[in-house]
Amino acid sequence: MHELQLVALDGGDDTEMSWQERSLCAQTDPEAFFPEKGGSTREAKKVCVGCEVRSECLEYALSNDERFGIWGGLSERERRKLKKRAV
């Protein structure tokens, strides 16, 4: 996994932030990303569309076999389909 070096806007030293720290979902209600069975994933996916680390998030979910929640803009079902197509 690659991490990006960011320069602090206050002119301080370089600060290394992981993709999780840069994710938009980290600044949002986590409940939206883990809806009840049959619940809407729409709000979470809206957040993912504008997230700069969406691909890192999806890569993490696929490589760690995350079975719950919205990761990289995809639901559990969508990730399973993606994995089956890749095989």
Side-chain angles (χ1 to χ4, degrees), residues 8-79:
L9 294 177
D10 64 2
D13 296 321
D14 285 356
T15 305
E16 190 174 315
M17 293 177 63
S18 71
W19 68 264
Q20 293 99 332
E21 293 171 316
R22 298 187 337 265
S23 66
L24 291 179
C25 63
Q27 305 161 33
T28 312
D29 180 13
E31 298 276 325
F33 294 87
F34 295 92
E36 296 290 323
K37 187 170 182 158
S40 176
T41 60
R42 190 174 304 129
E43 290 304 313
K45 288 180 176 184
K46 279 185 191 178
V47 172
C48 294
V49 166
C51 187
E52 70 177 57
V53 295
R54 183 176 176 185
S55 60
E56 290 95 328
C57 180
L58 180 57
E59 182 181 324
Y60 173 86
L62 293 171
S63 63
N64 289 284
D65 200 27
E66 286 291 342
R67 296 176 190 252
F68 302 100
I70 306 302
W71 292 82
L74 300 181
S75 68
E76 306 96 277
R77 181 179 296 155
E78 292 165 330
R79 291 192 305 275

